[in-house]
Amino acid sequence: MIYDVPPIDHSMIHMPSQQLVVASRNTPKLPISSSIDVSKFSQKLTRRASYRSSSQCAKFVRIALQSAGANIVQHPIAASDWGRTLQQISYQQITPDFNNPKLGDIYIIHRTKKHRYGHIAGFTGSQWVSDFKQTSYDVYNDQNVTYSYYRLAPQSSQA
């Protein structure tokens, strides 16, 4: 449930809570626009996910978004830092709607004292999926968990 690099034992690592971004040398600047097929996003996320976490939620969500048409050239490592990137690819932040999620919705759990990288997951139409198939959106036992919730903006037709 952590981030977009291979899993390692994080109990021995102390990292400051700052945003780390992966970018190529010739990375274009904002804004990045793309057309995302939420059905492809859902299919890719479901096919790749396991039944338990591999601590790679951000990587799995990123790969699913890219396979669905998202143009993601620069992205954060920590799941907690993905909000701006989602907005760059046409997602809008909305009030959390866990009782009525829509296909393609994505939520972020912000970092906590116990979970310094946060968590990110997408809704497949039937369940929340990250690097694993979740039984609920509520995957942390922390009391002070905060969420950001994103939904793909309606695509306007250009006539």
Side-chain angles (χ1 to χ4, degrees):
M1 289 188 273
I2 298 177
Y3 51 27
D4 193 355
V5 296
I8 58 174
D9 180 5
H10 300 287
S11 63
M12 303 301 289
I13 298 173
H14 174 35
M15 295 187 62
S17 61
Q18 56 184 311
Q19 185 173 356
L20 180 61
V21 175
V22 173
S24 67
R25 285 190 176 159
N26 298 322
T27 303
K29 300 298 178 206
L30 305 178
I32 299 170
S33 165
S34 57
S35 176
I36 299 170
D37 182 331
V38 292
S39 293
K40 287 182 181 178
F41 168 72
S42 171
Q43 291 167 8
K44 185 70 162 187
L45 201 54
T46 301
R47 277 195 315 265
R48 289 185 50 93
S50 181
Y51 287 97
R52 50 186 293 225
S53 177
S54 63
S55 298
Q56 296 184 57
C57 60
K59 178 179 181 178
F60 277 56
V61 170
R62 176 184 54 81
I63 290 170
L65 285 167
Q66 287 174 318
S67 73
N71 181 16
I72 302 171
V73 179
Q74 179 176 333
H75 61 83
I77 300 298
S80 184
D81 298 329
W82 265 81
R84 184 175 175 155
T85 302
L86 291 174
Q87 290 174 325
Q88 290 170 359
I89 60 170
S90 301
Y91 273 82
Q92 294 177 336
Q93 186 172 357
I94 63 171
T95 302
D97 195 10
F98 292 113
N99 293 327
N100 190 27
K102 300 205 181 314
L103 177 68
D105 283 3
I106 294 175
Y107 78 87
I108 294 171
I109 300 178
H110 299 277
R111 58 182 46 88
T112 68
K113 286 183 181 182
K114 292 181 184 177
H115 304 281
R116 68 185 80 163
Y117 298 102
H119 181 65
I120 187 169
F123 191 70
T124 64
S126 60
Q127 74 182 119
W128 290 103
V129 178
S130 55
D131 55 330
F132 70 101
K133 296 173 182 173
Q134 302 175 192
T135 57
S136 166
Y137 70 89
D138 187 18
V139 295
Y140 287 175
N141 291 324
D142 295 2
Q143 289 182 338
N144 297 320
V145 172
T146 58
Y147 298 89
S148 291
Y149 196 104
Y150 298 87
R151 182 165 290 155
L152 195 59
Q155 301 297 316
S156 60
S157 59
Q158 310 235 343

